[in-house]
Amino acid sequence: MRKIRVVVIDDSAYSRRAITKMLESMPEVDVIGYAADGEEGIRKIIDLKPDLVTLDLEMPRMDGFTLLRIVMEYSPTAVIVISSRNEDEKVFRALELGAVDFVAKPTKGVSEEILTIREDLHRKVRSVIHLNLAGIVRRERELERASVAADRRAPGTVPYAAAAARTESAAPRPAGRLEVVAIGASTGGPPALQRILCSLPDVFPQAVVVSQHMPAGFTRTFAERLNRLSPLEIREAADGDEVRAGRVLIAPGGHNMVFERQGSEILARIVKPGTEDRYVPSVDAMLLSCAEVFGPRTLGVVLTGMGNDGSKGIAAIKRAGGQALAEAEETAVVFGMPKEAIATGVVDKIVSLDRMSREIMQRCGLLNDVD
């Protein structure tokens, strides 16, 4: 099989050497070039036509954001951002612009700590083999238009407190229909989740819970970003948070989110991952708990991602009498997770991303049908 051809772009000579060494230890990878800034990086991408680019965001002459815009417009290429942990807000902007995933550097300076990203880097590079690049370009353009529209709103038009106040007056938890929408995602998930959650109405009669594979420290920024863009109350889940209508809880990076019933309330519990949890936050752990606690009042949704996380949970939800959706191959950045969910034979409907929010709203009783 042809090797994955990679160009490494980073202004730090030490980081370039370290990343190149980690990539060259993979037999399926060939590092064909490197660059120290965005201008040189664009020339290398045009000349060498790599399958994948690893990209630092903060660089002289031309930063990673400008490079991403140009590359995705004129020479679409898979990009994995490798950025220090204090740049998490910038990472999500890069994902909106078309980067497929990110790897968090433990430090921005020169340190052997960078070698700790080796396993994560290898796993995400291998996902490129299954990448739907056309879907990424289409998603990036749609999100760019949506982001411009959101930026035109006056600051504070949908503040956190106002969103929270609206959810207090939302419809009470329904007794005989869906109670929770549980969404799992991995590679390509942040833009997909943004697309869905920003399309839901401000008065939403179900709770929403999300497990997105993401390292510790990034999910809070992700949740805060979504909360600014969406009319819903969106937060990183804390242990003991109530799961209630109109609230979106995102599992914190590095932990699993499960649920327990206490009287009339259902609470989120944040727990350490088990040894069997290859990817964290675990989608299966969340969906299995939903099946147990919410039973037939659960709608499980599996979005883009590599691997099979979520397939066991989807099967459990169906056994409990709930409903299940999976993202269609045509829009999934990586079709691994939805493909495995579909392979269980129990998924009710396969839905493209551009129809997913409408399908969810229809199943939640907000729309009569889906065109």
Side-chain angles (χ1 to χ4, degrees), residues 11 39 124 199 262 269 283 301 332 350:
D11 64 330
E39 289 185 3
K124 291 177 178 178
S199 299
Q262 287 191 1
R269 292 302 182 197
V283 178
V301 182
I350 302 167

Side-chain angles (χ1 to χ4, degrees), residues 198-337:
C198 292
S199 299
L200 299 180
D202 57 350
V203 179
F204 193 67
Q206 283 77 25
V208 181
V209 293
V210 175
S211 283
Q212 159 71 49
H213 297 164
M214 195 173 285
F218 283 85
T219 42
R220 179 177 294 275
T221 301
F222 180 47
E224 290 171 350
R225 182 179 182 83
L226 290 178
N227 189 65
R228 291 196 299 271
L229 297 172
S230 170
L232 298 172
E233 177 199 1
I234 302 177
R235 62 168 68 181
E236 181 188 60
D239 191 66
D241 275 348
E242 183 184 359
V243 181
R244 67 184 186 210
R247 170 180 284 178
V248 182
L249 295 179
I250 297 179
H255 294 79
N256 290 342
M257 179 168 61
V258 296
F259 311 99
E260 71 173 13
R261 190 179 295 273
Q262 287 191 1
S264 62
E265 294 185 340
I266 295 175
L267 306 180
R269 292 302 182 197
I270 308 306
V271 299
K272 292 182 179 179
T275 55
E276 72 281 2
D277 295 323
R278 183 178 180 187
Y279 303 110
V280 179
S282 168
V283 178
D284 271 330
M286 179 185 73
L287 297 183
L288 287 166
S289 183
C290 282
E292 180 180 352
V293 174
F294 296 96
R297 295 183 295 279
T298 305
L299 172 61
V301 182
V302 176
L303 301 178
T304 175
M306 184 175 65
N308 63 357
D309 193 16
S311 59
K312 292 179 181 177
I314 283 293
I317 286 171
K318 289 302 295 179
R319 285 194 301 271
Q323 302 177 45
L325 303 175
E327 185 177 355
E329 184 175 11
E330 66 199 62
T331 59
V333 171
V334 178
F335 191 50
M337 282 172 52

Side-chain angles (χ1 to χ4, degrees), residues 30 40 103 119 171 250 281 290 313:
D30 183 15
E40 184 185 5
V103 176
E119 183 178 347
I250 297 179
C290 282

